[in-house]
Coordinates of all heavy atoms in Angstrom, one line a residue:
Chain B
L97 N -35.4 -9.6 -0.1 CA -34.5 -9.5 -1.2 C -34.5 -10.6 -2.1 O -33.9 -10.6 -3.2 CB -33.1 -9.2 -0.7 CG -32.8 -8.0 0.1 CD1 -31.4 -7.9 0.6 CD2 -33.1 -6.7 -0.8
A100 N -31.3 -16.6 -2.2 CA -30.2 -16.8 -1.3 C -29.8 -15.5 -0.6 O -28.9 -15.4 0.2 CB -29.0 -17.3 -2.0
F101 N -30.5 -14.4 -0.9 CA -30.2 -13.1 -0.4 C -31.1 -12.7 0.8 O -31.0 -11.6 1.3 CB -30.2 -12.0 -1.4 CG -29.3 -12.3 -2.6 CD1 -29.8 -12.6 -3.8 CD2 -27.9 -12.4 -2.4 CE1 -28.9 -12.8 -4.9 CE2 -27.1 -12.7 -3.4 CZ -27.6 -12.9 -4.7
E138 N -4.6 15.7 6.6 CA -5.1 15.5 5.2 C -6.2 14.5 5.2 O -6.3 13.6 6.1 CB -3.9 14.9 4.4 CG -2.8 15.9 4.2 CD -3.2 16.9 3.1 OE1 -4.2 16.7 2.4 OE2 -2.5 18.0 3.1
R142 N -12.5 11.9 4.0 CA -12.5 10.4 4.0 C -12.6 9.8 5.4 O -13.4 8.9 5.6 CB -11.1 10.0 3.4 CG -10.9 8.5 3.1 CD -9.7 8.3 2.2 NE -8.5 9.0 2.6 CZ -7.5 8.4 3.2 NH1 -7.5 7.2 3.6 NH2 -6.4 9.1 3.5
L164 N -27.6 -13.2 6.9 CA -26.9 -12.6 5.7 C -26.6 -11.2 6.0 O -25.5 -10.7 5.8 CB -27.7 -12.8 4.4 CG -27.2 -11.9 3.3 CD1 -25.8 -12.3 2.9 CD2 -28.1 -12.1 2.1
V168 N -23.1 -9.2 6.2 CA -22.8 -8.0 5.4 C -22.3 -6.9 6.3 O -21.3 -6.3 6.1 CB -24.1 -7.6 4.6 CG1 -23.9 -6.2 4.1 CG2 -24.4 -8.5 3.5
E171 N -18.8 -7.6 7.8 CA -17.7 -7.3 6.9 C -17.6 -5.8 6.6 O -16.5 -5.3 6.4 CB -18.0 -8.1 5.5 CG -18.0 -9.6 5.7 CD -16.6 -10.1 6.1 OE1 -15.6 -9.5 5.8 OE2 -16.6 -11.2 6.7
I172 N -18.7 -5.1 6.6 CA -18.6 -3.6 6.4 C -17.8 -3.0 7.5 O -17.0 -2.1 7.3 CB -19.9 -2.9 6.2 CG1 -20.6 -3.5 4.9 CG2 -19.8 -1.4 6.1 CD1 -21.9 -2.9 4.7
L175 N -14.3 -3.6 6.9 CA -13.8 -2.7 5.9 C -13.5 -1.3 6.5 O -12.4 -0.8 6.2 CB -14.8 -2.6 4.8 CG -14.5 -1.9 3.5 CD1 -15.4 -2.3 2.4 CD2 -14.6 -0.4 3.6
W178 N -10.4 -1.5 8.6 CA -9.1 -1.5 7.8 C -8.8 -0.1 7.3 O -7.7 0.4 7.4 CB -9.3 -2.5 6.7 CG -8.3 -2.2 5.5 CD1 -7.0 -2.4 5.5 CD2 -8.7 -1.6 4.3 NE1 -6.5 -1.9 4.3 CE2 -7.5 -1.5 3.5 CE3 -9.9 -1.2 3.7 CZ2 -7.5 -1.0 2.2 CZ3 -9.9 -0.7 2.4 CH2 -8.7 -0.6 1.7
N185 N -1.8 6.5 5.3 CA -1.3 5.5 4.3 C 0.2 5.6 4.0 O 0.8 4.7 3.5 CB -2.0 5.7 3.0 CG -3.5 5.2 3.0 OD1 -3.7 4.0 3.2 ND2 -4.4 6.1 2.9
D186 N 0.8 6.7 4.4 CA 2.2 6.8 4.2 C 3.0 6.0 5.2 O 4.2 5.7 4.9 CB 2.7 8.3 4.3 CG 2.0 9.2 3.3 OD1 0.8 9.6 3.5 OD2 2.6 9.4 2.2
V191 N -0.4 0.7 7.3 CA -0.9 -0.1 6.2 C -0.9 -1.6 6.6 O -1.9 -2.3 6.4 CB -0.2 0.2 4.9 CG1 -0.6 -0.7 3.8 CG2 -0.3 1.6 4.5
I195 N -4.2 -4.2 7.1 CA -4.4 -5.5 6.4 C -4.4 -6.7 7.3 O -5.3 -7.5 7.2 CB -3.3 -5.6 5.3 CG1 -3.4 -4.5 4.3 CG2 -3.4 -7.0 4.6 CD1 -2.3 -4.6 3.2
L198 N -7.8 -6.9 9.1 CA -8.9 -7.4 8.2 C -8.7 -8.9 8.0 O -9.7 -9.7 8.0 CB -9.0 -6.7 6.9 CG -10.3 -6.9 6.2 CD1 -10.9 -5.6 5.7 CD2 -10.2 -7.9 5.2
I199 N -7.5 -9.3 7.7 CA -7.3 -10.8 7.4 C -7.6 -11.6 8.6 O -8.2 -12.7 8.5 CB -5.9 -11.0 6.8 CG1 -5.9 -10.3 5.4 CG2 -5.6 -12.5 6.7 CD1 -4.8 -10.7 4.5
G202 N -11.1 -11.6 9.4 CA -11.7 -12.3 8.2 C -11.7 -13.8 8.4 O -12.6 -14.5 8.0
L203 N -10.6 -14.3 8.9 CA -10.4 -15.7 9.1 C -11.6 -16.2 10.0 O -12.2 -17.2 9.7 CB -9.1 -16.1 9.7 CG -7.9 -16.2 8.8 CD1 -6.6 -16.4 9.6 CD2 -8.1 -17.3 7.8
A206 N -14.9 -16.0 8.2 CA -15.2 -17.1 7.4 C -16.1 -18.1 8.2 O -17.0 -18.7 7.6 CB -14.0 -17.8 6.9
L209 N -19.6 -16.8 8.2 CA -20.2 -17.0 6.8 C -20.6 -18.5 6.6 O -21.7 -18.8 6.2 CB -19.2 -16.5 5.8 CG -19.7 -16.3 4.4 CD1 -19.1 -15.1 3.8 CD2 -19.3 -17.5 3.5
L213 N -24.4 -19.9 6.2 CA -24.8 -20.7 5.0 C -25.3 -22.1 5.4 O -26.2 -22.6 4.8 CB -23.6 -20.8 4.0 CG -23.3 -19.5 3.2 CD1 -22.1 -19.7 2.4 CD2 -24.5 -19.1 2.4
A214 N -24.6 -22.7 6.4 CA -25.1 -24.0 6.8 C -26.5 -24.0 7.4 O -27.3 -24.9 7.1 CB -24.1 -24.6 7.9
Y216 N -28.7 -21.8 6.5 CA -29.6 -21.6 5.4 C -29.9 -23.0 4.7 O -31.0 -23.3 4.2 CB -29.0 -20.6 4.4 CG -29.7 -20.4 3.1 CD1 -31.0 -19.9 3.0 CD2 -29.1 -20.8 1.9 CE1 -31.6 -19.7 1.9 CE2 -29.7 -20.6 0.7 CZ -31.0 -20.0 0.7 OH -31.6 -19.9 -0.5
A217 N -28.8 -23.8 4.5 CA -28.9 -25.0 3.9 C -29.9 -25.9 4.6 O -30.6 -26.7 4.1 CB -27.6 -25.7 3.7
F222 N -32.6 -17.4 6.5 CA -31.5 -16.8 7.3 C -32.1 -16.1 8.5 O -31.3 -15.5 9.3 CB -30.8 -15.7 6.4 CG -29.9 -16.2 5.4 CD1 -30.3 -16.1 4.0 CD2 -28.8 -16.9 5.7 CE1 -29.5 -16.6 3.0 CE2 -27.9 -17.4 4.7 CZ -28.3 -17.2 3.4
V585 N 3.2 -18.1 2.7 CA 2.3 -17.8 1.5 C 3.1 -17.0 0.5 O 3.1 -17.3 -0.7 CB 1.1 -17.0 2.0 CG1 0.3 -16.5 0.8 CG2 0.2 -17.9 2.9
E586 N 3.8 -15.9 0.9 CA 4.6 -15.1 0.0 C 5.6 -16.0 -0.7 O 5.8 -15.8 -1.9 CB 5.3 -14.0 0.7 CG 4.4 -12.8 0.9 CD 5.1 -11.7 1.6 OE1 6.4 -11.6 1.5 OE2 4.5 -10.9 2.3
T588 N 5.5 -19.2 -1.4 CA 4.9 -20.0 -2.4 C 4.6 -19.2 -3.6 O 4.8 -19.7 -4.7 CB 3.6 -20.6 -1.8 OG1 3.7 -21.0 -0.5 CG2 3.1 -21.8 -2.7
G589 N 4.1 -18.0 -3.4 CA 3.7 -17.2 -4.6 C 5.0 -16.9 -5.4 O 5.0 -17.0 -6.6
E590 N 6.1 -16.6 -4.7 CA 7.3 -16.2 -5.4 C 7.8 -17.4 -6.1 O 8.3 -17.3 -7.2 CB 8.3 -15.8 -4.3 CG 9.6 -15.2 -4.9 CD 9.3 -13.9 -5.7 OE1 8.4 -13.1 -5.3 OE2 10.0 -13.7 -6.7
L592 N 6.1 -19.8 -7.4 CA 5.2 -20.2 -8.5 C 5.5 -19.3 -9.7 O 5.1 -19.7 -10.8 CB 3.8 -19.9 -8.0 CG 2.7 -20.8 -8.7 CD1 2.9 -22.2 -8.5 CD2 1.3 -20.4 -8.0
R593 N 6.2 -18.2 -9.5 CA 6.4 -17.3 -10.6 C 7.3 -17.9 -11.7 O 7.2 -17.5 -12.9 CB 7.1 -16.0 -10.2 CG 6.2 -15.2 -9.3 CD 7.0 -14.0 -8.8 NE 6.9 -12.9 -9.8 CZ 7.4 -11.7 -9.6 NH1 8.1 -11.4 -8.5 NH2 7.2 -10.7 -10.5
T595 N 6.7 -20.6 -13.2 CA 5.8 -21.1 -14.3 C 5.5 -20.1 -15.4 O 5.1 -20.5 -16.5 CB 4.5 -21.6 -13.7 OG1 3.8 -20.5 -13.0 CG2 4.7 -22.7 -12.7
Q596 N 5.6 -18.8 -15.0 CA 5.3 -17.8 -16.0 C 6.7 -17.5 -16.7 O 7.3 -16.5 -16.5 CB 4.7 -16.6 -15.3 CG 4.1 -15.6 -16.3 CD 2.8 -16.1 -16.9 OE1 2.2 -16.9 -16.4 NE2 2.4 -15.5 -18.0
G598 N 7.5 -17.1 -19.9 CA 7.6 -16.2 -21.0 C 8.0 -16.9 -22.3 O 8.0 -16.3 -23.4
N603 N 4.9 -22.7 -22.9 CA 3.4 -22.5 -22.7 C 2.7 -23.5 -23.5 O 1.7 -24.1 -23.0 CB 3.0 -21.1 -23.2 CG 3.7 -20.0 -22.4 OD1 4.3 -20.3 -21.3 ND2 3.6 -18.8 -22.8
A606 N 2.9 -26.8 -21.7 CA 2.0 -27.0 -20.6 C 0.6 -27.5 -21.2 O 0.0 -28.3 -20.6 CB 1.8 -25.7 -19.9
M607 N 0.2 -26.9 -22.3 CA -1.1 -27.3 -22.9 C -1.0 -28.7 -23.3 O -2.0 -29.5 -23.1 CB -1.3 -26.4 -24.1 CG -2.7 -26.3 -24.5 SD -2.9 -25.4 -26.1 CE -2.0 -24.0 -25.8
A610 N -1.2 -30.9 -20.4 CA -2.6 -30.9 -19.9 C -3.5 -31.8 -20.7 O -4.3 -32.6 -20.1 CB -3.1 -29.5 -19.9
V611 N -3.4 -31.8 -22.0 CA -4.2 -32.6 -22.9 C -4.0 -34.1 -22.6 O -4.9 -34.9 -22.4 CB -3.9 -32.4 -24.4 CG1 -4.6 -33.4 -25.2 CG2 -4.4 -31.0 -24.8
L614 N -5.2 -35.0 -19.0 CA -6.7 -35.0 -18.9 C -7.3 -36.2 -19.7 O -8.2 -36.8 -19.3 CB -7.3 -33.7 -19.4 CG -8.7 -33.5 -19.0 CD1 -8.8 -33.4 -17.5 CD2 -9.3 -32.2 -19.6
L615 N -6.7 -36.4 -20.9 CA -7.2 -37.6 -21.7 C -7.1 -38.9 -20.9 O -8.0 -39.7 -20.9 CB -6.5 -37.7 -23.0 CG -7.0 -36.9 -24.2 CD1 -6.1 -37.0 -25.4 CD2 -8.4 -37.4 -24.6
V618 N -9.6 -38.9 -18.0 CA -11.0 -39.0 -18.5 C -11.3 -40.4 -19.1 O -12.3 -41.0 -18.8 CB -11.2 -37.9 -19.6 CG1 -12.3 -38.2 -20.5 CG2 -11.5 -36.6 -18.9
L619 N -10.3 -40.9 -19.9 CA -10.6 -42.2 -20.5 C -10.6 -43.3 -19.4 O -11.3 -44.3 -19.5 CB -9.5 -42.5 -21.5 CG -9.7 -41.7 -22.8 CD1 -8.5 -41.8 -23.7 CD2 -11.0 -42.0 -23.5
G622 N -13.8 -42.9 -17.5 CA -14.9 -43.2 -18.4 C -14.9 -44.7 -18.7 O -16.0 -45.3 -18.8
G626 N -17.5 -44.5 -15.2 CA -17.9 -43.4 -14.3 C -18.8 -42.4 -14.9 O -19.1 -42.3 -16.0
Chain C
K196 N 2.3 -14.6 -28.6 CA 2.1 -15.7 -27.7 C 0.6 -16.0 -27.6 O 0.2 -17.2 -27.6 CB 2.7 -15.4 -26.3 CG 4.1 -15.4 -26.3 CD 4.6 -15.4 -24.8 CE 5.6 -14.3 -24.6 NZ 6.0 -14.2 -23.2
Q200 N -0.9 -19.7 -28.8 CA -1.6 -20.6 -27.8 C -3.1 -20.7 -28.2 O -3.7 -21.7 -28.1 CB -1.4 -20.0 -26.4 CG 0.0 -20.2 -26.0 CD 0.2 -19.7 -24.6 OE1 0.7 -18.6 -24.3 NE2 -0.2 -20.5 -23.6
L207 N -7.6 -27.7 -31.2 CA -8.0 -28.8 -30.3 C -9.5 -28.9 -30.3 O -10.1 -30.0 -30.4 CB -7.5 -28.6 -28.9 CG -6.0 -28.9 -28.7 CD1 -5.5 -28.5 -27.3 CD2 -5.6 -30.3 -29.1
R238 N -18.4 -44.6 -27.0 CA -18.4 -43.8 -25.8 C -17.1 -43.2 -25.4 O -16.9 -42.1 -25.0 CB -18.9 -44.7 -24.6 CG -19.2 -44.0 -23.3 CD -20.1 -44.8 -22.4 NE -20.1 -44.2 -21.1 CZ -19.2 -44.5 -20.2 NH1 -18.3 -45.4 -20.4 NH2 -19.2 -43.8 -19.0
L239 N -16.0 -44.1 -25.6 CA -14.7 -43.6 -25.3 C -14.3 -42.4 -26.1 O -13.7 -41.5 -25.6 CB -13.7 -44.7 -25.4 CG -13.7 -45.7 -24.2 CD1 -12.6 -46.8 -24.4 CD2 -13.4 -45.0 -22.9
I242 N -16.0 -39.3 -24.9 CA -15.4 -38.8 -23.7 C -14.1 -38.1 -24.0 O -13.8 -37.1 -23.5 CB -15.2 -40.0 -22.7 CG1 -16.5 -40.5 -22.2 CG2 -14.3 -39.5 -21.6 CD1 -16.4 -41.6 -21.2
A243 N -13.3 -38.7 -24.9 CA -12.0 -38.1 -25.3 C -12.3 -36.7 -25.9 O -11.6 -35.8 -25.7 CB -11.3 -39.0 -26.3
A246 N -12.6 -34.2 -23.2 CA -11.4 -33.7 -22.7 C -10.8 -32.7 -23.6 O -10.2 -31.7 -23.2 CB -10.4 -34.9 -22.5
F249 N -12.4 -29.4 -23.2 CA -12.0 -28.8 -22.0 C -10.7 -28.0 -22.2 O -10.5 -26.9 -21.8 CB -11.7 -29.8 -20.9 CG -12.7 -29.7 -19.7 CD1 -13.8 -30.5 -19.7 CD2 -12.6 -28.7 -18.7 CE1 -14.7 -30.4 -18.6 CE2 -13.5 -28.6 -17.7 CZ -14.6 -29.5 -17.7
I250 N -9.7 -28.7 -22.8 CA -8.4 -28.1 -23.0 C -8.5 -27.0 -24.0 O -7.9 -25.9 -23.9 CB -7.3 -29.1 -23.3 CG1 -7.2 -30.2 -22.3 CG2 -6.0 -28.4 -23.5 CD1 -6.8 -29.7 -20.9
V254 N -8.1 -22.9 -23.0 CA -7.1 -21.9 -23.3 C -7.7 -20.5 -23.3 O -7.2 -19.6 -22.7 CB -6.4 -22.1 -24.7 CG1 -5.5 -21.0 -25.0 CG2 -5.7 -23.4 -24.7
P260 N -3.4 -25.3 -16.5 CA -2.2 -24.6 -16.9 C -2.2 -24.0 -18.3 O -1.1 -23.8 -18.8 CB -1.2 -25.8 -16.9 CG -2.0 -27.0 -17.3 CD -3.4 -26.7 -16.9
M261 N -3.3 -23.7 -18.9 CA -3.3 -23.1 -20.2 C -3.4 -21.6 -20.1 O -3.8 -20.9 -21.1 CB -4.5 -23.6 -21.0 CG -4.4 -25.0 -21.4 SD -4.9 -26.2 -20.2 CE -6.6 -25.9 -20.0
T263 N -1.1 -19.2 -19.4 CA 0.1 -18.4 -19.4 C 0.1 -17.2 -20.4 O 0.9 -16.3 -20.3 CB 1.4 -19.2 -19.7 OG1 1.0 -20.2 -20.7 CG2 1.8 -19.9 -18.5
P266 N -1.6 -13.1 -18.6 CA -1.0 -11.9 -18.0 C -0.4 -11.0 -19.1 O -0.5 -9.8 -19.0 CB 0.0 -12.5 -17.1 CG -0.3 -13.9 -16.9 CD -1.0 -14.4 -18.1
T303 N -21.4 -39.2 -19.1 CA -20.6 -39.3 -17.8 C -20.9 -38.1 -17.0 O -21.2 -37.0 -17.4 CB -19.1 -39.5 -18.1 OG1 -18.4 -39.4 -16.9 CG2 -18.7 -38.3 -19.0
M305 N -18.6 -36.8 -14.9 CA -17.4 -36.3 -14.3 C -17.1 -34.9 -14.8 O -16.1 -34.3 -14.3 CB -16.2 -37.2 -14.7 CG -15.8 -37.1 -16.1 SD -14.3 -38.1 -16.4 CE -14.9 -39.3 -17.4
L309 N -14.6 -32.1 -12.9 CA -13.5 -31.4 -13.6 C -13.6 -29.9 -13.4 O -12.6 -29.2 -13.2 CB -13.5 -31.7 -15.1 CG -12.9 -33.1 -15.4 CD1 -13.0 -33.4 -16.9 CD2 -11.4 -33.2 -15.0
L323 N -2.0 -16.5 -5.7 CA -0.5 -16.5 -5.3 C 0.3 -15.7 -6.3 O 1.2 -15.0 -5.9 CB 0.0 -18.0 -5.3 CG -0.5 -18.7 -4.1 CD1 -0.1 -20.2 -4.1 CD2 0.0 -18.1 -2.8
M324 N 0.0 -15.8 -7.6 CA 0.7 -15.1 -8.6 C 0.5 -13.6 -8.5 O 1.4 -12.8 -8.6 CB 0.4 -15.5 -10.0 CG 0.9 -16.9 -10.3 SD 2.7 -17.1 -10.3 CE 3.1 -16.3 -11.8
L326 N -0.2 -11.9 -5.9 CA 0.4 -11.4 -4.7 C 1.7 -10.7 -5.0 O 2.1 -9.8 -4.3 CB 0.5 -12.6 -3.7 CG 0.5 -12.3 -2.3 CD1 -0.7 -11.6 -1.9 CD2 0.5 -13.7 -1.6
R327 N 2.5 -11.3 -6.0 CA 3.8 -10.8 -6.2 C 4.0 -9.8 -7.3 O 5.1 -9.5 -7.7 CB 4.7 -12.1 -6.5 CG 4.6 -13.2 -5.5 CD 5.0 -12.8 -4.1 NE 6.3 -12.3 -4.1 CZ 6.8 -11.5 -3.1 NH1 6.1 -11.2 -2.1 NH2 8.1 -11.1 -3.1
R333 N -1.0 -6.2 -14.8 CA -0.6 -7.6 -14.7 C -1.3 -8.3 -13.5 O -1.8 -9.4 -13.5 CB 0.9 -7.8 -14.6 CG 1.4 -8.9 -15.4 CD 2.9 -8.8 -15.4 NE 3.5 -10.1 -15.6 CZ 3.5 -10.8 -16.8 NH1 3.1 -10.2 -17.8 NH2 4.0 -12.0 -16.8
E360 N -28.8 -22.6 -7.6 CA -28.2 -21.4 -7.2 C -26.8 -21.3 -7.6 O -26.2 -20.2 -7.8 CB -28.2 -21.3 -5.6 CG -29.5 -21.3 -5.0 CD -29.9 -19.8 -4.6 OE1 -29.3 -18.9 -5.1 OE2 -30.8 -19.7 -3.7
R410 N -5.5 12.3 -4.4 CA -5.8 13.8 -4.3 C -5.9 14.4 -5.7 O -6.7 15.3 -5.9 CB -4.6 14.4 -3.6 CG -4.6 14.1 -2.1 CD -3.6 15.0 -1.4 NE -4.1 16.3 -1.3 CZ -3.3 17.4 -1.0 NH1 -2.0 17.2 -0.9 NH2 -3.8 18.6 -0.9
L429 N -15.9 -7.6 -0.7 CA -16.3 -6.9 0.5 C -17.7 -6.2 0.2 O -17.9 -5.6 -0.8 CB -15.3 -5.8 0.9 CG -14.1 -6.3 1.5 CD1 -13.1 -5.1 1.7 CD2 -14.4 -6.9 2.9
P430 N -18.6 -6.4 1.2 CA -19.9 -5.7 1.0 C -19.7 -4.2 1.3 O -18.8 -3.9 1.9 CB -20.8 -6.4 2.1 CG -19.9 -6.9 3.1 CD -18.6 -7.2 2.4
F435 N -19.2 -9.2 -3.5 CA -19.6 -10.0 -2.3 C -20.8 -10.8 -2.6 O -20.9 -12.0 -2.3 CB -19.9 -9.0 -1.1 CG -20.4 -9.7 0.1 CD1 -19.6 -10.4 1.0 CD2 -21.8 -9.7 0.3 CE1 -20.1 -11.0 2.1 CE2 -22.3 -10.3 1.4 CZ -21.5 -11.0 2.3
M436 N -21.8 -10.2 -3.2 CA -23.1 -10.8 -3.4 C -23.0 -12.0 -4.4 O -23.6 -13.1 -4.1 CB -24.2 -9.8 -3.9 CG -24.7 -8.9 -2.9 SD -25.4 -9.8 -1.5 CE -25.8 -8.4 -0.4
W439 N -21.3 -14.8 -2.6 CA -22.2 -15.3 -1.6 C -23.1 -16.3 -2.2 O -23.3 -17.4 -1.7 CB -23.0 -14.2 -1.0 CG -24.1 -14.6 -0.1 CD1 -25.3 -15.0 -0.4 CD2 -23.9 -14.8 1.3 NE1 -26.0 -15.3 0.7 CE2 -25.2 -15.2 1.8 CE3 -22.9 -14.6 2.3 CZ2 -25.5 -15.5 3.2 CZ3 -23.2 -14.9 3.6 CH2 -24.4 -15.3 4.0
Q440 N -23.7 -16.0 -3.4 CA -24.6 -16.9 -4.0 C -23.9 -18.2 -4.4 O -24.5 -19.3 -4.2 CB -25.3 -16.3 -5.3 CG -26.6 -16.9 -5.6 CD -27.3 -16.2 -6.7 OE1 -26.8 -15.3 -7.4 NE2 -28.6 -16.5 -6.8
F442 N -21.2 -19.5 -3.0 CA -21.0 -20.3 -1.7 C -22.2 -20.9 -1.1 O -22.2 -22.0 -0.6 CB -20.3 -19.4 -0.7 CG -18.9 -18.9 -1.1 CD1 -18.5 -17.6 -0.7 CD2 -18.1 -19.6 -1.9 CE1 -17.2 -17.2 -1.1 CE2 -16.8 -19.2 -2.3 CZ -16.4 -18.0 -1.9
A443 N -23.3 -20.1 -1.2 CA -24.6 -20.7 -0.7 C -24.9 -22.0 -1.4 O -25.4 -22.9 -0.8 CB -25.7 -19.6 -0.9
V446 N -22.8 -24.9 -0.1 CA -23.2 -25.4 1.2 C -24.5 -26.2 1.1 O -24.7 -27.2 1.7 CB -23.3 -24.2 2.2 CG1 -23.7 -24.8 3.6 CG2 -21.9 -23.6 2.4
R447 N -25.4 -25.7 0.3 CA -26.7 -26.4 0.1 C -26.4 -27.8 -0.5 O -27.2 -28.7 -0.2 CB -27.6 -25.6 -0.9 CG -28.3 -24.5 -0.2 CD -29.6 -24.3 -0.9 NE -30.7 -24.6 -0.1 CZ -31.9 -24.1 -0.2 NH1 -32.2 -23.3 -1.2 NH2 -32.9 -24.5 0.6
V461 N -13.7 -19.1 0.3 CA -13.7 -18.0 1.3 C -12.3 -17.6 1.7 O -12.0 -16.4 1.7 CB -14.6 -18.3 2.5 CG1 -14.5 -17.2 3.5 CG2 -16.0 -18.6 2.1
L462 N -11.5 -18.6 1.9 CA -10.1 -18.2 2.3 C -9.4 -17.6 1.2 O -8.6 -16.6 1.4 CB -9.4 -19.5 2.8 CG -9.9 -20.1 4.1 CD1 -9.1 -21.4 4.4 CD2 -9.7 -19.1 5.2
L465 N -10.3 -14.0 1.0 CA -9.5 -13.3 2.0 C -8.1 -13.0 1.6 O -7.6 -11.9 1.8 CB -9.5 -14.1 3.3 CG -9.4 -13.4 4.6 CD1 -10.5 -12.4 4.8 CD2 -9.5 -14.5 5.7
F468 N -7.5 -10.1 -0.7 CA -7.5 -8.8 -0.1 C -6.1 -8.3 0.1 O -5.8 -7.1 0.0 CB -8.3 -8.8 1.2 CG -8.4 -7.4 1.8 CD1 -9.3 -6.5 1.3 CD2 -7.6 -7.1 2.9 CE1 -9.4 -5.3 1.9 CE2 -7.7 -5.8 3.4 CZ -8.6 -4.9 2.9
A472 N -5.7 -4.5 -1.2 CA -5.6 -3.4 -0.2 C -4.4 -2.5 -0.4 O -4.6 -1.3 -0.3 CB -5.6 -4.0 1.2
S476 N -4.4 1.6 -0.5 CA -3.6 2.4 0.4 C -2.6 3.4 -0.3 O -2.4 4.5 0.0 CB -2.8 1.5 1.3 OG -3.6 1.0 2.3
Y479 N -4.2 6.6 -1.7 CA -4.6 7.6 -0.7 C -3.4 8.1 0.1 O -3.6 8.7 1.2 CB -5.7 7.1 0.2 CG -7.0 7.1 -0.6 CD1 -7.5 5.9 -1.1 CD2 -7.6 8.2 -1.0 CE1 -8.7 5.8 -1.8 CE2 -8.8 8.2 -1.8 CZ -9.3 7.0 -2.2 OH -10.4 6.9 -3.0
R480 N -2.2 8.0 -0.4 CA -1.1 8.6 0.3 C -1.1 10.1 0.2 O -1.7 10.6 -0.8 CB 0.2 8.0 -0.3 CG 0.5 6.6 0.1 CD 1.9 6.3 -0.1 NE 2.3 5.0 0.4 CZ 3.5 4.5 0.3 NH1 4.4 5.1 -0.2 NH2 3.7 3.3 0.8
T481 N -0.4 10.7 1.0 CA -0.4 12.2 0.9 C 0.7 12.7 0.0 O 0.6 13.7 -0.6 CB -0.2 12.8 2.3 OG1 0.9 12.2 3.0 CG2 -1.4 12.7 3.2
T482 N 1.8 11.9 -0.1 CA 2.9 12.4 -1.0 C 2.7 11.7 -2.3 O 2.9 10.5 -2.4 CB 4.3 12.1 -0.4 OG1 4.2 10.7 0.1 CG2 4.7 13.0 0.7
W514 N -28.6 -4.3 -4.0 CA -29.8 -4.9 -4.5 C -29.5 -6.0 -5.4 O -29.7 -5.9 -6.6 CB -30.7 -3.8 -5.2 CG -32.1 -4.2 -5.3 CD1 -32.7 -4.8 -6.4 CD2 -33.1 -4.2 -4.3 NE1 -34.0 -5.1 -6.1 CE2 -34.3 -4.7 -4.9 CE3 -33.1 -3.7 -3.0 CZ2 -35.5 -4.8 -4.1 CZ3 -34.3 -3.8 -2.3 CH2 -35.5 -4.4 -2.8
P515 N -29.0 -7.2 -4.9 CA -28.6 -8.2 -5.8 C -29.7 -8.8 -6.6 O -29.4 -9.4 -7.7 CB -28.1 -9.3 -4.8 CG -28.6 -8.9 -3.5 CD -28.8 -7.5 -3.5
A516 N -30.9 -8.7 -6.2 CA -32.0 -9.2 -6.9 C -32.2 -8.5 -8.3 O -33.0 -9.0 -9.1 CB -33.3 -9.2 -6.1

Side-chain angles (χ1 to χ4, degrees):
Chain B
L97 294 177
F101 301 115
E138 293 285 341
R142 189 164 48 101
L164 166 62
V168 168
E171 296 295 333
I172 295 179
L175 190 157
W178 157 71
N185 286 297
D186 298 83
V191 173
I195 295 180
L198 197 139
I199 291 191
L203 277 175
L209 194 138
L213 287 176
Y216 174 64
F222 286 111
V585 172
E586 276 179 28
T588 320
E590 190 64 34
L592 209 55
R593 291 178 90 178
T595 58
Q596 194 72 20
N603 298 348
M607 201 188 309
V611 169
L614 195 64
L615 270 173
V618 155
L619 289 173
Chain C
K196 287 194 236 175
Q200 292 183 258
L207 286 176
R238 188 161 169 272
L239 280 181
I242 291 181
F249 248 99
I250 305 297
V254 176
M261 289 81 67
T263 39
T303 171
M305 73 174 112
L309 282 176
L323 287 176
M324 292 294 287
L326 208 52
R327 308 299 302 162
R333 222 169 152 79
E360 296 260 22
R410 287 192 74 198
L429 285 173
F435 172 82
M436 286 301 175
W439 173 273
Q440 203 173 15
F442 294 147
V446 177
R447 276 208 117 155
V461 174
L462 291 177
L465 205 56
F468 184 76
S476 285
Y479 288 106
R480 286 198 174 181
T481 49
T482 42
W514 196 262

